[in-house]
């Protein structure tokens, strides 16, 4: 990297330190909800913790990782200095300022509204302004990704955009559009209520606007992980990418299918029509297509390596894979968690089956497997891969990396599998405590206790991750030149539709307008959706 080393390092360090603090809060929540602890004296403390944990994990961690990784990709893939370095630092400091504002008001007990905001509950104005600053800082990153790509294309007319940069910019455009829903909700509905200009809020409209952001944000979270699948993993295990085209199609389809699906989170909401719920359920099924393409492509890339290493027969290549390589382990574990989490998602997207698990611990288990499992484990690998470039250090210890990856996987499975079980039994999520002496709740005590121990393993794994990053062995020689995976059959010329974003962004916006336009307009004109606000403050 030319200019962005300190910038990328700053993004990663803040992201991962905040992540570790959020992990501690999550484990505390599991402990106070379990039979291992008496009832928490003040449930407000629990909801402060849930708000802080969710805000960091949903907004701060993935935003900073995507921004930092994006800046690194811009210089490493385009092989030119980052344009707008000062603006990039300005965006970083806006994110930091917003994070501190939100954290301080949450700690003071003035914004225990969870990261989903939950109108008609209204917290401190400074909490919402903090979220706005985080989003504005990320929008600067979006603009810089566009500017840098445009400058590169001008200097390289007709050349194929490097796959890593194609995925990076696709993620930036997806985030720019998906964040609009929550931004409009805050600016138009929540801030007027929190500042005292109104004492009512249209909760139906607020929920629909947040659903615009609520599920598409998951695909913004996973973009860095999928970029790592396609552009780092094949090279790291000694092979080549099976298909560059498949990667471009997957990134493009995430733009198209990620947005018009959020109303499947509102299946139980009587103010949203059944027709639009059905449409969003169908579109939710469509978003599995780029994931299935990715699984096929990455497994095929691994098979190439196994065959080159002497693997024979239908499964002999699997045994021949470089299992001592941390990348091989990380992607395998990520795919396992992605498989379990995706299977649970099929229940969530079903209009009928969702009734059984809506707002239960099943949902918590599902999204922890997807995000905290499959996605975060790839965030670890991105940091491990870039660290020698950023710190001018020797390659990190494979033994420690594999230990950290195994403990994360084991902890996540122990944490989430009991959640799925108690969710089927009807255990609600986001409850401060339970009375396990009640005969109907007593059978759940052992499963909740298991989840608590799973969370403890995750804390240990997260601490080991921070230790690995904080104690690298220095070396005087410069780090080896960084490279991304090359395709088995490089394209002489990439199709125009897969070498730009005009078509895909247009489809993304059009589908969003079709799938959200009428529900938003209808609820905006529905007086019955307007209710008094419920101010939230310290007890």
């Amino acid at each position: 990297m030319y200019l962005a080393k300190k910038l990328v390092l700053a993004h990663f360090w803040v992201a991962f330190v905040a992540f570790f603090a959020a992990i501690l809060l999550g484990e505390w929540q599991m402990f106070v909800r379990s039979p291992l602890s008496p009832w928490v004296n003040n449930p407000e403390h629990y909801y402060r913790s849930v708000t802080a944990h969710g805000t960091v994990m949903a907004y701060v961690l993935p935003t900073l990782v995507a921004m930092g990784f994006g800046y690194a990709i811009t210089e490493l893939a385009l092989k030119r200095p980052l344009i707008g370095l000062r603006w990039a630092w300005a965006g970083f400091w806006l994110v930091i300022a917003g994070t501190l504002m939100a954290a301080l008001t949450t700690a003071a007990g003035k914004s225990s509204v969870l990261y989903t905001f939950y109108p008609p509950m209204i917290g401190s104005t400074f909490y919402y302004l903090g979220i706005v600053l985080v989003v504005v800082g990320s929008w600067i990153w979006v603009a810089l990704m566009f500017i840098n790509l445009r400058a590169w294309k001008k200097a390289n007319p007709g050349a194929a955009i490097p796959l890593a940069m194609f995925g990076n910019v696709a993620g930036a455009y997806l985030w720019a559009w998906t964040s609009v829903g929550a931004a409009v909700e805050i600016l138009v509905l929540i801030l007027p209520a929190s500042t005292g200009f109104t004492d009512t809020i249209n909760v139906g409209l607020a929920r629909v606007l947040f659903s615009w952001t609520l599920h598409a944000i998951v695909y913004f979270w996973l973009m860095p992980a999928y970029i790592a699948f396609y552009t780092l993993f094949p090279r790291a295990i000694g092979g080549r990418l099976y298909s560059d085209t498949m990667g471009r199609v997957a990134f493009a389809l995430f733009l198209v299918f990620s947005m018009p699906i959020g109303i499947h989170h509102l299946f139980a909401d009587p103010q949203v029509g059944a027709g639009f719920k059905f449409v969003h359920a169908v579109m939710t099924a469509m978003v599995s297509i780029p994931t299935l393409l990715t699984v096929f492509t990455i497994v095929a890339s691994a098979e190439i390596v196994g065959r080159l290493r002497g693997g024979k027969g239908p499964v002999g290549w699997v045994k021949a894979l470089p299992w001592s390589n941390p990348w091989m382990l990380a992607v395998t574990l990520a795919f396992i968690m992605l498989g379990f989490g995706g299977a649970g998602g099929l229940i969530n997207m079903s209009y009928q089956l969702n009734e059984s698990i809506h707002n239960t611990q099943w949902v918590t288990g599902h999204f922890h497997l997807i995000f905290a499992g499959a996605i975060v484990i790839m965030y670890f690998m991105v940091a491990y891969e870039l660290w020698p470039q950023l710190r001018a250090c020797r390659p990190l210890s494979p033994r420690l990396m594999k230990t950290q990856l195994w403990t994360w996987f084991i902890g996540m499975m122990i944490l989430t599998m009991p959640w799925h079980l108690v969710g089927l039994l009807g255990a609600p999520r986001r409850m401060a405590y339970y009375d396990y002496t009640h005969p109907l709740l007593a059978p759940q005590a052992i499963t909740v206790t298991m989840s608590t121990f799973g969370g403890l393993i995750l804390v240990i794994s997260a601490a080991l991750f921070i230790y690995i990053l904080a104690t690298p062995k220095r070396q005087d020689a410069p780090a080896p030149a960084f490279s991304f995976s090359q395709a088995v059959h490089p394209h002489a010329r990439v199709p125009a539709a897969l070498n730009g974003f005009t078509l895909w962004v247009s489809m993304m916006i059009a589908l969003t307008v079709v799938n959200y336009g009428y529900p938003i307009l209808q609820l905006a004109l529905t007086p019955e959706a307007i209710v008094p606000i419920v101010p939230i403050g310290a007890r």
Side-chain angles (χ1 to χ4, degrees), residues 209-229:
L209 285 172
F210 192 79
S211 77
W212 174 313
T213 298
L214 180 58
H215 204 86
I217 197 175
V218 173
Y219 301 100
F220 165 65
W221 296 343
L222 65 73
M223 278 297 194
Y226 275 52
I227 293 170
F229 287 151

Side-chain angles (χ1 to χ4, degrees), residues 62 163 200 386:
L163 181 58
T200 61
L386 290 178

Side-chain angles (χ1 to χ4, degrees), residues 204 207 266-274 277 351 358 522-523 526:
R207 284 196 292 265
L266 303 179
F267 281 159
D269 195 321
Q271 294 180 326
V272 179
K277 291 176 181 176
Y351 189 76
H358 176 73
Q522 179 191 36
L523 286 167
T526 302

Side-chain angles (χ1 to χ4, degrees), residues 374-393:
I375 294 174
V376 168
I377 206 168
M378 296 311 296
Y379 287 179
F380 296 154
M381 292 309 301
V382 167
Y384 289 151
E385 189 71 14
L386 290 178
W387 225 242
Q389 298 287 324
L390 299 172
R391 297 290 304 274
C393 64

Side-chain angles (χ1 to χ4, degrees), residues 74-339:
T74 301
E75 292 203 341
L76 292 170
L78 301 186
K79 301 187 185 329
R80 54 189 293 158
L82 178 72
I83 299 171
L85 185 63
R86 290 184 178 180
W87 280 103
W89 277 110
F92 169 76
W93 287 114
L94 281 175
V95 173
I96 298 304
T99 300
L100 291 175
M101 286 177 63
L104 291 175
T105 53
T106 301
K110 298 182 181 299
S111 55
S112 299
V113 294
L114 314 188
Y115 87 94
T116 47
F117 311 145
Y118 264 110
M121 295 192 300
I122 297 295
S124 166
T125 300
F126 291 102
Y127 173 78
Y128 303 113
L129 290 178
I131 299 297
V132 168
L133 288 181
V134 171
V135 173
V136 171
S138 71
W139 284 349
I140 293 176
W141 166 71
V142 172
L144 290 177
M145 295 303 96
F146 167 77
I147 291 169
N148 278 270
L149 179 59
R150 185 180 63 175
W152 180 87
K153 292 181 73 172
K154 186 176 181 180
N156 300 270
I161 301 171
L163 181 58
M165 191 64 182
F166 188 87
N168 180 37
V169 176
Y173 288 165
L174 175 61
W175 171 242
W177 188 238
T178 189
S179 60
V180 168
V184 172
E185 180 193 11
I186 291 175
L187 296 175
V188 176
L189 298 175
I190 293 180
L191 280 178
S194 71
T195 52
F197 285 102
T198 179
D199 58 1
T200 61
I201 188 169
N202 188 324
V203 292
L205 179 58
R207 284 196 292 265
V208 169
L209 285 172
F210 192 79
S211 77
W212 174 313
T213 298
L214 180 58
H215 204 86
I217 197 175
V218 173
Y219 301 100
F220 165 65
W221 296 343
L222 65 73
M223 278 297 194
Y226 275 52
I227 293 170
F229 287 151
Y230 281 104
T231 68
L232 297 180
F233 169 68
R235 186 263 299 156
I237 63 170
R240 289 196 167 208
L241 177 64
Y242 174 74
S243 173
D244 178 274
T245 299
M246 203 79 85
R248 294 174 190 271
V249 170
F251 290 132
L253 291 182
F254 275 126
L255 279 176
V256 176
F257 293 136
S258 295
M259 278 303 308
I261 66 176
I263 286 178
H264 81 260
H265 287 274
L266 303 179
F267 281 159
D269 195 321
Q271 294 180 326
V272 179
F276 278 95
K277 291 176 181 176
F278 172 76
V279 170
H280 280 244
V282 172
M283 297 302 297
T284 304
M286 295 297 291
V287 84
S288 64
I289 293 175
T291 292
L292 294 174
L293 289 177
T294 298
V295 171
F296 172 82
T297 305
I298 301 309
V299 171
S301 301
E303 182 178 356
I304 291 171
V305 174
R307 299 292 183 193
L308 291 174
R309 292 169 62 93
K312 305 292 184 182
V315 296
W317 63 271
V318 177
K319 297 173 63 175
L321 289 170
W323 291 107
S324 61
N325 189 316
W327 270 100
M328 194 68 244
L329 175 63
V331 171
T332 301
L333 299 180
F335 277 12
I336 292 172
M337 290 185 284
L338 186 64

